[in-house]
Amino acid sequence: MGDEGQRYSVDDALAAVGFGKFQILVLAYAGMGWISEAMEMMLLSFVGPALQSAWNLSSHQESMITSVVFAGMLVGAYSWGVVSDKHGRRNGFLITATVTCVAGLLSSLAPNYICLIILRCLVGIGLGGGPVLSSWFLEFIPAPSRGTWMVVFSAFWTVGTIFEASVAWFVMPTLGWRWLLAFSSLPSSLLLIFYRVVPESPRYLCLKGRITEARIILEKVAKVNGQPLPEGVLVSDHEIQLNEKPTEAEEAHLLSSPNGETVEHGTKQNGSTMAMLFSPELIKPTLLLWVVFFGNAFSYYGLVLLTTELHNGRNSCVPAHLQPKHQELSYKDIFITSFAEFPGLLISAFTIDKLGRKLSMSIMFFLCCLFLLPLVSHQPQTVTTALLFLARICITTTFTVVYIYAPEIYPTSVRTTGVGVGSSVGRIGGMICPLVAVGLIHGCHQTAAILLFEFVIFSSGVCVLLFPFETSGRDLTDHATTVPEKASTITTA
């Protein structure tokens, strides 16, 4: 039997060449984008109070500096997801990196409040492209090691948060907020510098019928990793499945286009990617993911804010004009609690493949509820710190796992759109959190605030249990009607 009878998919090729030097380079590039987003998000904890003092801003004006970033991310996450699904992953993160870098640098030169608000909103629009980089990296990883390496990728976020807290600790007291904004825009500029050598996703190219380009990239991966590709011809996953299961039912479900290409029945090639998220196969996981993304963002950013609020006298009701200003202590608290993310990443790494995505998330959501419950009443400072630290570990784990699970449940044709829209819903949680939950703390309603967190986190845990399937160890899919299966090289007569 000759090579002409041999067929292999992108998953087969990646499994054959393994995770090697090429993927390490891809990880470094995608990780720099993740660091950039983390730094731009963390600086909000420092810039707001500094500007309130420098420009005599009201509390509402200060909160708007944070809200407009989330509003921009809400728009960007959806927009860049659609762009990358239609025009390629590289085009998607080229635009996002450009917008983030330019708007971030210009915001450090903003002459007044209005200009700053507009520029920070543009930064948010650029940051909304984060899921594009994560999906791009995911599509280069062999299925058996996908969970572990996506956790490693998530570690770049933690590196970004700790690095930003470190930079703020040293820069803010001496150089001021403008220099912090300028320094925080540098990581996104590195994405532009190395953009020319970044490859397109071979899975995306294969889906679009650009098989030759996909094979060239896979050959580069094999050469760098020092491993051979499978023998035979590269084909799309969908074509392999047709050769595996040429049943009458499937043939009735498929139509042939005039140019001879096989097209799924009921799927328009030019159809809306957004509409596909509400197809019968995807509507349930899509809606459940929205709740989980909302709960994760609401809880994660809420815990970050609570760390400073409950460490600045807010856990005992004191009039605002009597509350001491411990700005130095605030930097220290955020710096220390950021390290809670490292245990969360370790837990993710050990559980994501052994327990699976669903069980890992649900356990940590429910544990987070338990750790927050004692805070419905005033606790000593050390107890409050310990409980928030443990809760942050749990929510970091769920945040890490959901960003791995979400791209895995969507097919290549709508992967970045699906993750982008879900991330957009999460941004709504990020916008609402400071206005509602933290606002309750300011209004001396700590019990109500914690109970609100309990409700959101518990609801998210329940939704995780309702997800239709587990993705651990499964191949990525190209079409919504495809059920993920283990990879195998197919030989036809």
Side-chain angles (χ1 to χ4, degrees):
M1 188 173 297
D3 285 352
E4 294 182 356
Q6 298 276 355
R7 295 171 181 263
Y8 66 90
S9 67
V10 173
D11 281 310
D12 296 327
L14 293 175
V17 301
F19 193 101
K21 295 179 181 178
F22 190 94
Q23 282 90 347
I24 293 295
L25 296 174
V26 172
L27 171 63
Y29 187 87
M32 185 56 62
W34 217 225
I35 287 176
S36 173
E37 180 169 344
M39 291 179 66
E40 291 286 356
M41 294 306 299
M42 279 299 294
L43 69 80
L44 298 174
S45 302
F46 309 110
V47 171
L51 283 171
Q52 185 180 35
S53 174
W55 288 356
N56 295 318
L57 302 180
S58 66
S59 297
H60 175 70
Q61 288 175 316
E62 180 189 354
S63 65
M64 279 295 294
I65 298 172
T66 298
S67 296
V68 295
V69 176
F70 281 107
M73 294 177 79
L74 176 66
V75 175
Y78 168 71
S79 302
W80 306 135
V82 173
V83 167
S84 65
D85 278 336
K86 288 185 175 294
H87 304 290
R89 310 313 193 215
R90 292 181 80 246
N91 290 329
F93 56 71
L94 170 63
I95 302 173
T96 62
T98 303
V99 172
T100 303
C101 179
V102 174
L105 188 59
L106 289 178
S107 64
S108 69
L109 305 173
N112 53 53
Y113 177 75
I114 297 299
C115 288
L116 181 68
I117 287 294
I118 294 172
L119 289 169
R120 296 313 295 175
C121 183
L122 290 175
V123 170
I125 292 175
L127 293 176
V132 177
L133 276 170
S134 62
S135 296
W136 172 73
F137 174 61
L138 179 79
E139 292 173 352
F140 278 96
I141 309 176
S145 57
R146 194 166 60 228
T148 300
W149 283 106
M150 285 303 291
V151 171
V152 174
F153 169 72
S154 299
F156 283 89
W157 177 279
T158 301
V159 172
T161 60
I162 294 175
F163 184 67
E164 182 68 18
S166 304
V167 172
W169 201 352
F170 290 102
V171 170
M172 288 294 287
T174 55
L175 300 177
W177 63 271
R178 292 186 185 275
W179 282 98
L180 182 64
L181 289 175
F183 287 142
S184 299
S185 67
L186 292 180
S188 56
S189 68
L190 294 177
L191 297 180
L192 299 177
I193 293 173
F194 294 102
Y195 174 77
R196 291 178 60 86
V197 298
V198 173
E200 181 59 89
S201 163
R203 179 178 289 279
Y204 168 83
L205 293 173
C206 219
L207 174 70
K208 295 299 182 180
R210 296 156 62 180
I211 303 296
T212 301
E213 295 175 62
R215 187 177 66 250
I216 291 173
I217 292 175
L218 289 172
E219 288 172 351
K220 290 181 181 178
V221 177
K223 182 178 180 181
V224 173
N225 288 2
Q227 298 291 334
L229 287 173
E231 294 183 355
V233 180
L234 175 65
V235 295
S236 68
D237 289 339
H238 191 54
E239 187 173 344
I240 282 184
Q241 287 151 11
L242 291 179
N243 283 284
E244 273 188 304
K245 304 173 183 179
T247 62
E248 292 183 4
E250 261 193 335
E251 290 171 354
H253 184 71
L254 298 162
L255 298 173
S256 291
S257 62
N259 60 4
E261 295 178 350
T262 305
V263 182
E264 290 185 45
H265 178 67
T267 302
K268 297 180 181 180
Q269 285 181 306
N270 297 322
S272 167
T273 53
M274 185 66 181
M276 290 178 64
L277 299 181
F278 295 96
S279 64
E281 298 84 6
L282 295 178
I283 185 169
K284 181 179 179 180
T286 292
L287 295 178
L288 290 172
L289 264 179
W290 287 3
V291 176
V292 175
F293 267 114
F294 180 93
N296 263 312
F298 186 93
S299 306
Y300 178 84
Y301 295 112
L303 289 173
V304 171
L305 293 172
L306 283 178
T307 300
T308 56
E309 296 299 330
L310 297 182
H311 283 76
N312 283 328
R314 301 284 191 183
N315 56 345
S316 58
C317 242
V318 178
H321 66 279
L322 296 179
Q323 288 174 1
K325 296 181 180 180
H326 295 303
Q327 201 167 23
E328 182 75 15
L329 179 62
S330 178
Y331 297 143
K332 182 179 178 181
D333 288 341
I334 296 177
F335 179 78
I336 292 174
T337 54
S338 294
F339 279 92
E341 299 193 11
F342 279 117
L345 291 170
L346 291 175
I347 292 172
S348 302
F350 283 114
T351 62
I352 192 168
D353 287 323
K354 293 181 180 179
L355 298 182
R357 280 58 161 159
K358 291 175 59 177
L359 191 56
S360 297
M361 280 191 285
S362 59
I363 289 175
M364 298 311 287
F365 269 128
F366 297 139
L367 282 176
C368 188
C369 287
L370 290 177
F371 292 139
L372 285 180
L373 192 59
L375 293 177
V376 295
S377 60
H378 172 69
Q379 300 294 334
Q381 192 72 21
T382 53
V383 175
T384 299
T385 301
L387 291 172
L388 288 175
F389 190 90
L390 292 170
R392 181 100 174 246
I393 290 175
C394 295
I395 213 65
T396 296
T397 303
T398 60
F399 217 122
T400 300
V401 177
V402 76
Y403 266 101
I404 297 171
Y405 182 78
E408 291 178 332
I409 67 172
Y410 285 116
T412 305
S413 54
V414 294
R415 180 166 295 122
T416 55
T417 298
V419 179
V421 173
S423 181
S424 293
V425 176
R427 304 313 174 191
I428 296 175
M431 283 189 292
I432 293 176
C433 180
L435 299 175
V436 179
V438 178
L440 290 172
I441 298 289
H442 285 203
C444 298
H445 300 295
Q446 178 175 330
T447 298
I450 298 301
L451 288 177
L452 178 59
F453 277 106
E454 291 282 327
F455 173 76
V456 172
I457 295 170
F458 185 82
S459 299
S460 301
V462 172
C463 287
V464 168
L465 295 176
L466 298 176
F467 280 135
F469 54 86
E470 176 60 59
T471 60
S472 179
R474 294 182 180 273
D475 289 338
L476 299 178
T477 61
D478 287 340
H479 298 275
T481 55
T482 303
V483 178
E485 294 179 352
K486 298 287 184 181
S488 59
T489 304
I490 305 303
T491 304
T492 58

